Structures are given as C-alpha cells and as structure tokens.
Amino acid sequence: MTLAPSPSAASRSLRDRIRRRGRVQSAADRAVLVMHDVAKTYPNGKTALLDVDLVIPEGDFVFLVGPSGAGKSTIIKLLIRDEIATRGQVVLDGQDLARLPRRAVPKIRRKIGIVFQDFKLLPTKSVWENVAFALEVTGSPRRKIRPAVDRVLALVGLTAQRSQIPSQLSGGEQQRTAIARALVHDPRLIIADEPTGNLDPLISWEIIQLLLRINELGVTVLMATHDADVVTALRKRVVALEEGRIIRDEVGGAYHRAD
Amino acid sequence: MIGFVVFSLRRAWQGFWRNALMSIAATATMVLMLVLLAGFWIIQTGLLSALDFTESKVEVVANIKLDAAPAAITELQTRLEAMPEVAGVSFVTREEALARFQQSMREQGREDLTKYLDSNPLTASYEVKLIDPSYATPIADRLREEPAVRNVLDTKDTAQNVKAVTDILRTAGTVILLVIGVIVLFIIVNTIRLAVVARAEEIEIMRLVGASDAFIRWPFVFEGAMVGLLGAGITLGGLYLLSDPIGTFMVDFFRVLPLSFGSLARDLVVLVTSAGLGLGVLGSWLSVRTYLIR
C-alpha cells in the first residue's frame, strides 16, 4: 500500500493543514486506524503478528475474529500502546504510535475507549463514580464531569442504576457501565475485546445493539469476538486472523469463510 | 495544578480508608520500625554521652616537688591553662591530698595509718583535664620536663585504652544505625508495596483510560506520606508518654546529664518525623513505579 496524499488535501483550510502538520499523511487520511506492514515478535521469540495491513475508516464497524492465539490480543495491545510493533507502522488518529514519546501515551489512550470481557469495574465505586473515574484521573474539571457522565449513562440506559455498585448489577448492566466509561472521553475508536464473552446470548445481543447504536452516532468500533452467530447475523466488515496474519478482510462477511 | 493536588489528596485519603486493613498494617509496621530506629538512636546518644563522660575523666596528674617555690607553681598553672589541649587545671594542696587519702581509707574500711606519721608525706599536685584523651601522652611528657614537677602519674595506657574502646563503640554504633535504617527501608517498602499491589486493578484501569503517570503516582505518594506521618505521630506520642522512664533509664544506665536531654528530644522529633515521611514517600514511589514503567 502506498501512502499518497488525500485528493481533498488541497481544498482543506490552512488552519486544518497546520493542525495536521507532522502527522502521517495517508491514503486513508480520514482513517481512525492505519496498520501498515506490521509485525510483532515478543522478546521470547514468539511471532504474534506478521505482514498485517489494516485500514479502518472513520465510522466503520469491524469484527476481529480468529482462534485463540491468532493475534487479536496483540493487535489490541498495539493499539493501546501496551506493546510496540517490531516492524511497520501503527497510526492511530494520524499519530504513529511507535514514535510517540512515553509522555504522550496517556493522551492517545483518551482517544480510545476500551471494553473488556471482564468489565474491569472498580467494585467499591458506584456506576456513576466508575464512569466519572475515567474523567477524574485524566484531570477533567469537576464542572465538566457531571454533565458528561450523566449524558453517557443516559446513552447506555443506566441513569436509574447510577448509585448502585457493580455487585448489585447484572452482567449486562456491568458491561453497559464499562461501555459508558469507554465513551465518556468522546473517543475516536471503541475497542471491545470479547465484550460478550461473559454474557448469555440474550444479554449479548443487548450489548451488540448498544455498540451498533454507538456506531450509528459516528464512533468507530473494533470488536474482537468468538461469537460466530453475532458476526454472521450482522454482516458487517470481518477481519479474520490466523497465526498472526490477516487471512480474510471482507465487508458483509460471516464468521467463517463462505466456501 | 491546585485541582491536581486536591484530587491527589482526596484520592490518597479515600485510598487510605477504602483499604483500611492494609493501611493499618502499613502504619503498624511503620510505627514498629520507627520505634526501633528511635530506640537505637536513644541508646546511641546515651552511649556517646557516656563515652564523652568517660573521656573527660582522662586526666594527667603532676605531683609537685616538696621544695618547689610557690611562684614557680603559680607560673606553671598559668602556662598549663594557656595550653589549647587543656580543658581545665585544678590544684590539689598537700592538705587536701591527705584528706582525700584519709577519706578513701575510711570508705574502704581500712585503718588510717597516717595518724602514726609525724608529717604529711603527700605532695601537692595539678590535675590537668584534657579536651581529648589523645593529648594525655604529649602533655605528660611536657610536664615531666618541668623543674617544679616531681613525677607524672602514668595514665598513658588508660588513655589509650579508653580512646580505642570509645572509637570502636562509636564506629559500631554508626554502622548498626545504618544497617537498621536499611532494614527499616526494605520492610516499609515491602509493606507499602502490598498495599499498592492490592490496588493493581485500579492502577490498570487508570492507565487504560489514559491517566498520566502523575495522576497515578501522586495519590499513592500522598497516601505513603500519610502512613509515614501517622506512624511518626504515634511513635512520638508513645515516646512522649514514656519519656519519664526513658529519662530515668538513661540517667541510671549512661549517667547522662539532663542537659543533653532537651536536644535529644528535639533530635528525635526531627529524626522520627523525617524518617516516617521519607520512608512513606520513598516506599510508595518505588512501589508504584513498577506499574508505570512499560
């Protein structure tokens, strides 16, 4: 893939161009994520990813599928810069993560909202506090925290449960709390790592519906999953990994290759 | 900036109470370690005072010839007092020497044989106190050359022995204090690390939502400072309540003058507070660092 300037670049305003100076210009300039020729070899010699090329444009909804150990987790770790690619570029919202100084990592993480299989909620804090926590620890002023938290709790439908602690909630409600927390920073990208892995099928569908709604509001969603039924039913873009390589990338795909 | 400090202090306070058992364990360890440190400091101070006291006992005694002219004796005293090594000179007359001898015989319950004597056989003497026992030998040598001096009591060995013992005790005391300090540091760091490990999940979430290192670190550092200051407060309170028995013990055991006691109390407040604060802050800093380097 060559990195050519976007055709619309010339018509862009001067201010916009100055703002974007220094960022990696690519064919998918409006892409939230560009991975180019990425390889990742861990210090123990195990190669987790090889020749990965992936472009996710703004507003996309992408399923990342593949057996355990295929490299899904490694991709997610690269995106949140928990790991750095051994080779190639990982460009998130125009910034090359490998060249990002350590200081700048927290800022880039605020552009991503992450949702995990095990929710990762703080057990002693209420729903409202768990969501507000994400803003508090990033230094948001208190007057901005209240409306932002109220807004995302309304979006995920947990306004009534705002004062409850996680152990008083159902699994689906806990996951919706985690999604609210992921949304509260207004992220460019939501990464959901097996978000329905701990939930029964009915509740899983609720969570998927919620992610679809968030996607309709314009947030890009990358969802790693094993749930074949969901992937096949929705006919969204499917990126399949196997042994560290992308073996399939098709829009409207099923979980398994249509042979 | 103010918002950040308020946030960190608030989180430190919440962290301390949300994990009360861990905080109490860390504080208790801190108190134990500070008591150990303070106890050893007290012993060390007592020991040093006792050593100073012992060293001040080292003196050179010059017996004066019976036929020495009074003018020569006075002149010798003036010259002795002018020497920089000399802390003080006291003149013991022949009569005083006899009286001392008689008293010491009485105290030992022995018969006073001096009553069979026609005249006082004892000489007058100068007792020369030194600012440091190591000057005993040169001063004794110089006194031997004085014409008015009959003989000089040979305190050379005593002085050297005292010097050797006090030097060893001083060095050993400093070394033990340092070793205790290092052990205390390790124990405190480990205890605080346990408290931090118990909150590893919270730290992980903070990292994932994009909290900067400062926002993760400082609440823990403040919490460590709280543990340290609380531990120091409890330790100093305990020492204050026990100050009477400690004072009695020191006077009985080391014969330290009460004069040095006021400065000891001040030293202890500074030592315990700074050690508690420093160990708490350092302990949390090191513990939370493990989670930030990635």
Side-chain angles (χ1 to χ4, degrees):
Chain A
M1 191 180 86
T2 52
L3 304 177
S6 144
S8 63
S11 61
R12 212 176 269 134
S13 76
L14 180 66
R15 212 178 110 228
D16 209 28
R17 263 184 287 154
I18 290 169
R19 191 165 61 79
R20 287 178 176 262
R21 185 183 293 162
R23 293 187 179 183
V24 175
Q25 297 289 313
S26 72
D29 199 25
R30 285 183 52 80
V32 172
L33 171 71
V34 178
M35 294 178 82
H36 177 59
D37 189 28
V38 171
K40 174 66 189 175
T41 306
Y42 283 107
N44 65 10
K46 186 178 169 277
T47 298
L49 288 178
L50 206 60
D51 305 333
V52 170
D53 282 299
L54 180 64
V55 176
I56 300 182
E58 181 135 38
D60 222 354
F61 192 112
V62 182
F63 284 116
L64 191 61
V65 303
S68 298
K72 300 194 297 291
S73 302
T74 302
I75 286 188
I76 289 170
K77 278 181 186 161
L78 290 179
L79 297 188
I80 62 176
R81 205 187 180 270
D82 228 9
E83 297 286 349
I84 295 173
T86 318
R87 199 181 70 214
Q89 282 179 307
V90 180
V91 181
L92 194 92
D93 194 29
Q95 283 178 288
D96 187 346
L97 295 189
R99 258 177 274 170
L100 208 60
R102 226 180 75 83
R103 287 182 291 105
V105 172
K107 274 229 166 95
I108 198 93
R109 285 202 183 132
R110 290 173 209 170
K111 294 181 178 176
I112 311 169
I114 316 167
V115 179
F116 292 97
Q117 184 174 2
D118 57 356
F119 320 134
K120 292 200 197 293
L121 299 175
L122 291 169
T124 55
K125 286 185 186 285
S126 70
V127 167
W128 199 92
E129 288 167 335
N130 260 290
V131 176
F133 186 70
L135 291 176
E136 281 172 9
V137 301
T138 48
S140 296
R142 301 193 90 180
R143 68 193 141 75
K144 285 190 182 169
I145 294 177
R146 185 172 299 277
V149 175
D150 289 346
R151 187 177 62 82
V152 289
L153 282 185
L155 183 64
V156 301
L158 282 179
T159 305
Q161 289 89 342
R162 50 182 291 157
S163 307
Q164 293 179 9
I165 60 168
S167 59
Q168 295 170 316
L169 299 175
S170 70
E173 287 168 333
Q174 290 186 49
Q175 193 58 294
R176 280 192 277 154
T177 308
I179 291 171
R181 182 180 63 194
L183 279 172
V184 78
H185 275 297
D186 272 328
R188 299 291 312 274
L189 173 67
I190 290 274
I191 299 171
D193 189 5
E194 308 267 2
T196 59
N198 273 348
L199 304 174
D200 61 53
L202 195 68
I203 304 295
S204 294
W205 272 111
E206 263 182 51
I207 295 299
I208 301 296
Q209 293 299 330
L210 178 58
L211 288 174
L212 285 170
R213 247 184 71 214
I214 290 163
N215 179 236
E216 279 166 16
L217 295 172
V219 183
T220 314
V221 176
L222 175 66
M223 174 169 162
T225 186
H226 276 124
D227 197 332
D229 290 347
V230 168
V231 176
T232 307
L234 286 178
R235 296 284 161 185
K236 292 281 186 183
R237 181 175 167 196
V238 176
V239 174
L241 280 171
E242 207 174 289
E243 290 175 0
R245 291 170 193 269
I246 293 179
I247 53 163
R248 181 160 60 99
D249 184 353
E250 56 180 339
V251 178
Y255 186 85
H256 298 286
R257 184 187 293 274
D259 287 318
Chain B
M1 188 60 201
I2 293 167
F4 170 70
V5 173
V6 170
F7 163 85
S8 298
L9 286 172
R10 205 158 44 88
R11 294 262 310 140
W13 183 256
Q14 287 170 357
F16 187 89
W17 293 112
R18 282 235 163 105
N19 219 327
L21 196 66
M22 273 298 184
S23 308
I24 290 167
T27 310
T29 313
M30 183 67 86
V31 169
L32 282 174
M33 293 301 116
L34 290 178
V35 165
L36 183 68
L37 205 62
F40 198 80
W41 185 263
I42 291 171
I43 292 172
Q44 169 86 344
T45 308
L47 186 67
L48 289 181
S49 308
L51 293 181
D52 284 347
F53 182 72
T54 312
E55 285 182 349
S56 73
K57 283 287 164 196
V58 173
E59 56 184 20
V60 176
V61 177
N63 288 321
I64 308 298
K65 281 178 185 163
L66 286 171
D67 56 357
I73 298 172
T74 323
E75 188 263 342
L76 175 61
Q77 175 160 8
T78 315
R79 269 192 293 121
L80 277 174
E81 280 169 348
M83 290 181 190
E85 301 93 334
V86 172
V89 182
S90 56
F91 183 66
V92 181
T93 62
R94 296 178 61 195
E95 292 70 30
E96 280 166 355
L98 183 64
R100 277 193 202 175
F101 179 76
Q102 285 167 341
Q103 195 192 347
S104 94
M105 287 295 114
R106 247 195 327 277
E107 278 171 1
Q108 292 174 37
R110 286 152 72 175
E111 193 188 354
D112 183 7
L113 297 170
T114 54
K115 64 189 174 194
Y116 300 112
L117 294 169
D118 301 334
S119 62
N120 183 355
L122 298 174
T123 58
S125 62
Y126 273 118
E127 292 174 358
V128 181
K129 289 207 181 343
L130 304 167
I131 58 168
D132 190 288
S134 59
Y135 296 128
T137 308
I139 293 289
D141 288 346
R142 273 157 77 177
L143 281 170
R144 276 193 194 94
E145 287 161 15
E146 291 290 337
V149 170
R150 190 171 96 174
N151 67 332
V152 176
L153 293 188
D154 199 357
T155 56
K156 200 170 118 191
D157 290 347
T158 323
Q160 278 177 350
N161 288 344
V162 167
K163 181 86 183 142
V165 170
T166 54
D167 281 353
I168 290 171
L169 288 176
R170 280 206 181 95
T171 314
T174 310
V175 169
I176 294 174
L177 199 62
L178 284 176
V179 169
I180 289 181
V182 172
I183 293 172
V184 166
L185 177 67
F186 275 114
I187 294 176
I188 295 284
V189 166
N190 265 310
T191 314
I192 293 179
R193 185 176 296 249
L194 285 180
V196 174
V197 167
R199 309 237 307 268
E201 199 186 5
E202 197 176 317
I203 296 177
E204 192 195 350
I205 292 170
M206 290 176 88
R207 291 180 65 243
L208 288 172
V209 299
S212 60
D213 286 358
F215 270 82
I216 299 175
R217 173 181 285 140
W218 282 96
F220 283 102
V221 172
F222 283 139
E223 200 180 322
M226 266 175 68
V227 168
L229 286 179
L230 188 63
I234 293 172
T235 307
L236 289 174
L239 286 175
Y240 177 74
L241 291 178
L242 289 173
S243 60
D244 279 351
I246 292 173
T248 315
F249 163 78
M250 289 197 59
V251 171
D252 285 355
F253 197 82
F254 296 115
R255 311 195 178 281
V256 185
L257 298 173
L259 185 70
S260 61
F261 208 63
S263 70
L264 174 65
R266 194 197 56 217
D267 286 354
L268 274 179
V269 170
V270 173
L271 174 81
V272 168
T273 309
S274 55
L277 190 62
L279 288 171
V281 166
L282 189 65
S284 341
W285 189 281
L286 293 178
S287 306
V288 82
R289 217 170 73 107
T290 325
Y291 293 94
L292 295 180
I293 296 178
R294 270 203 229 171

